[in-house]
Amino acid sequence: MNAPLLTTLGILFPESLVRSHAFGVLAAFVAINTMVYVTLSVAKALPKIWLRDYLPRGYERAETRSIHPDGEV
């Protein structure tokens, strides 16, 4: 198939449209949007990190009150 036939069928955009400013802005928007969705998808696929698990808790006792004094606090 040749390029004029593909252009008339709507399969390829004409070169003047592809090189226009509006098409460049739209292409930039699609690129940024794709990067945002890829980042969100990767973040969703990774295991969740709970920051609270790594911080000291205020409700922990300083010493054990168990009947087994050598046990965990």
Side-chain angles (χ1 to χ4, degrees):
M1 294 187 158
N2 54 11
L5 180 60
L6 293 177
T7 304
T8 56
L9 292 175
I11 297 173
L12 288 178
F13 293 127
E15 186 176 345
S16 61
L17 176 67
V18 173
R19 295 191 181 270
S20 67
H21 179 71
F23 195 86
V25 170
L26 181 63
F29 173 76
V30 170
I32 292 170
N33 196 21
T34 302
M35 291 303 296
V36 167
Y37 277 101
V38 166
T39 303
L40 290 175
S41 299
V42 169
K44 185 80 174 181
L46 292 176
K48 199 164 201 168
I49 298 172
W50 297 99
L51 186 60
R52 191 70 185 154
D53 291 343
Y54 301 103
L55 297 175
R57 297 181 181 138
Y59 59 86
E60 289 182 350
R61 294 188 175 109
E63 59 187 42
T64 181
R65 295 176 61 191
S66 173
I67 60 173
H68 305 289
D70 294 334
E72 294 182 20
V73 175

